[in-house]
Amino acid sequence: MDKPFEPACSFSERAQQLTSSAIREILKVTERPEVISFAGGLPAPGGFPVEVVRAAFDKVLATNGRAALQYGPTEGYAPLRQWVADDLNSAGANVDADQILIVSGSQQALDLLGKVLIDKDSKVLVEDPSYLGALQSFSLYQPRYVPVPTDDGGLIPEAITPELAAGARFLYALPNFQNPTGRTLDRARRVALVQRAAEMGLPIIEDDPYGELRYAGEPQPGLLALGAEAGATVIRLGTFSKVLAPGLRLGYIAAPRAIIHKLVQAKQATDLHTPTLTQMAVYEIVKDGFLQEHLPNVREIYRKQGRCMLDAVAREFPAGVSWTKPEGGMFLWVTLPEHIDSAKLLAEAVEQNVAFVPGAPFYAGTPRANTLRLSFATVPEDKINTGIAILGKLLRQYV
């Protein structure tokens, strides 16, 4: 047998610590067409405005093609940066265009923030549980995570004591329809959070990829807007992946100028700039109010499929199992009786062509093996009913 090829190089300590995403590994299983997958946090393809995107690219290339195909400034396409600033300000923020950095998806934003804010063993506060992609990105810079307790209302501001916050580089939080739990912070908690952050000198990274996907309840003010009132430092991440299409790989960071300056330097060493053609096309799409016409249709997709899943779990899951009831986004978080390991449940479910994400990888601290995440965004209603019925049958064997 031939020996595996060994590269003639030594990997860095950082590279040796790299691990694959637990979700991405599960998605390999879901490539089989017979598998009903509740695993991926992928947007609903039915919400992609294909013809509008095509027309925008055509128009940009026809009217300004040479500029669109040229290198551009690291900070991003100026009209798009101004549009983002205006959009944030319409929701109560107070930012200028030079406080906006356009990035290649919010995952790049997380990586850049890790580069400029985290040293080895830096204290970083994260919700417990938290977004797996952020944990994976930040972990490359070897922080010391300190989990912040949560409950059914999300992150508990009172849990952020002076001792907990002392020396922390930042708190990372998703206040709207959090990934993985689907929970949303109410206004009282948001106000309390930014006030405590201001008092303790604790910067907040507000990651809000799902905020425009609200289909129930009342909209809540962003931490960026509240932070401006309280004197807190808030760094906001946004993306066009959930409101237009993830294949565009376009997001943004809104932050104080000194932070943007350092992020620009880090991005110059990474990819010089986000593709100019994509930025110009997205600006062409959004500049005249298209999102106000488009988003209600997208929200209705998620509302219907989310309602279908909530009805299905209520019907099929046995007593002793609980779940969140999100007001938007694309996830349900399920808590099983303590003796059930969701990783073992997944193995049994995959044998019956159903997949989900076990909850343990979402914890930076002590994992809770009796949790799991379900995504309804890309699953038709008939398959939601079938898949949840299969999971319910498996769970009834345990309880």
Side-chain angles (χ1 to χ4, degrees):
M1 180 181 297
D2 293 337
K3 292 183 179 180
F5 173 73
E6 294 291 341
C9 65
S10 298
F11 290 116
S12 67
E13 180 182 338
R14 180 176 292 118
Q16 292 176 40
Q17 294 182 356
L18 286 171
T19 59
S20 298
S21 164
I23 297 174
R24 291 287 166 177
E25 293 302 308
I26 293 171
L27 289 180
K28 293 178 182 178
V29 175
T30 68
E31 291 177 353
R32 304 201 313 259
E34 68 272 17
V35 173
I36 299 173
S37 176
F38 303 128
L42 308 179
F48 299 163
V50 177
E51 295 305 319
V52 172
V53 172
R54 176 186 295 168
F57 275 90
D58 286 347
K59 182 175 180 179
V60 168
L61 287 170
T63 61
N64 207 6
R66 286 181 172 80
L69 297 176
Q70 183 58 278
Y71 287 113
T74 302
E75 292 84 351
Y77 182 50
L80 182 61
R81 295 170 71 206
Q82 185 64 60
W83 183 91
V84 170
D86 292 344
D87 186 60
L88 292 173
N89 292 341
S90 71
N94 182 22
V95 295
D96 294 325
D98 64 354
Q99 293 176 258
I100 306 297
L101 172 63
I102 303 298
V103 291
S104 300
S106 55
Q107 193 66 30
Q108 184 184 59
L110 294 169
D111 178 63
L112 293 176
L113 287 164
K115 284 181 179 177
V116 304
L117 297 179
I118 301 174
D119 292 313
K120 185 177 180 180
D121 297 324
S122 296
K123 182 193 287 190
V124 170
L125 307 188
V126 295
E127 297 167 302
D128 199 35
S130 187
Y131 170 48
L132 180 57
L135 297 178
Q136 186 180 23
S137 183
F138 295 152
S139 291
L140 196 60
Y141 305 102
Q142 301 175 275
R144 176 169 60 89
Y145 289 120
V146 177
V148 179
T150 61
D151 60 16
D152 288 343
L155 182 146
I156 303 171
E158 293 73 21
I160 304 176
T161 62
E163 294 75 21
L164 195 76
R169 295 296 174 88
F170 58 81
L171 162 70
Y172 172 75
L174 295 93
N176 293 318
F177 327 126
Q178 194 238 24
N179 184 353
T181 65
R183 296 167 179 154
T184 296
L185 287 183
D186 63 22
R187 184 184 179 92
R189 288 201 180 191
R190 291 171 190 242
V191 171
L193 176 59
V194 297
Q195 288 177 343
R196 295 178 80 84
E199 293 167 2
M200 299 175 190
L202 174 67
I204 299 173
I205 295 178
E206 176 190 21
D207 195 357
D208 190 27
Y210 312 106
E212 294 288 357
L213 301 181
R214 174 178 287 279
Y215 40 78
E218 294 298 321
Q220 300 297 324
L223 300 184
L224 179 63
L226 293 174
E229 299 173 7
T233 297
V234 177
I235 302 165
R236 180 182 171 88
L237 312 187
T239 179
F240 291 94
S241 292
K242 309 304 186 294
V243 297
L244 288 177
L248 294 168
R249 305 311 305 131
L250 201 66
Y252 67 83
I253 305 173
R257 291 175 180 85
I259 296 175
I260 290 292
H261 178 67
K262 277 296 169 189
L263 290 168
V264 167
Q265 292 175 330
K267 185 170 169 61
Q268 286 171 350
T270 300
D271 65 355
L272 296 183
H273 66 90
T274 297
T276 307
L277 173 59
T278 305
Q279 293 184 69
M280 294 177 73
V282 167
Y283 176 69
E284 183 64 34
I285 294 169
V286 302
K287 66 184 178 68
D288 294 323
F290 170 74
L291 289 180
Q292 283 66 44
E293 305 169 15
H294 173 64
L295 282 171
N297 299 323
V298 178
R299 294 179 187 122
E300 181 61 13
I301 294 172
Y302 291 107
R303 188 197 67 78
K304 289 179 62 178
Q305 292 176 199
R307 173 47 55 191
C308 178
M309 180 171 278
L310 284 170
D311 290 345
V313 297
R315 182 174 64 247
E316 302 290 350
F317 283 6
V321 177
S322 61
W323 53 89
T324 57
K325 299 174 179 62
E327 297 178 341
M330 55 184 71
F331 304 112
L332 267 65
W333 184 246
V334 180
T335 303
L336 310 173
E338 291 286 346
H339 67 279
I340 302 179
D341 184 339
S342 64
K344 294 181 179 178
L345 179 67
L346 173 64
E348 296 180 24
V350 168
E351 290 182 359
Q352 299 194 36
N353 295 323
V354 177
F356 58 83
V357 182
F362 295 96
Y363 290 89
T366 303
R368 295 189 62 188
N370 65 318
T371 58
L372 61 92
R373 190 192 76 178
L374 299 174
S375 174
F376 49 80
T378 59
V379 189
E381 292 184 35
D382 59 333
K383 290 191 175 182
I384 289 175
N385 288 320
T386 300
I388 295 300
I390 291 170
L391 289 180
K393 184 177 180 180
L394 290 173
L395 285 169
R396 284 191 292 274
Q397 299 175 3
Y398 283 93
V399 297

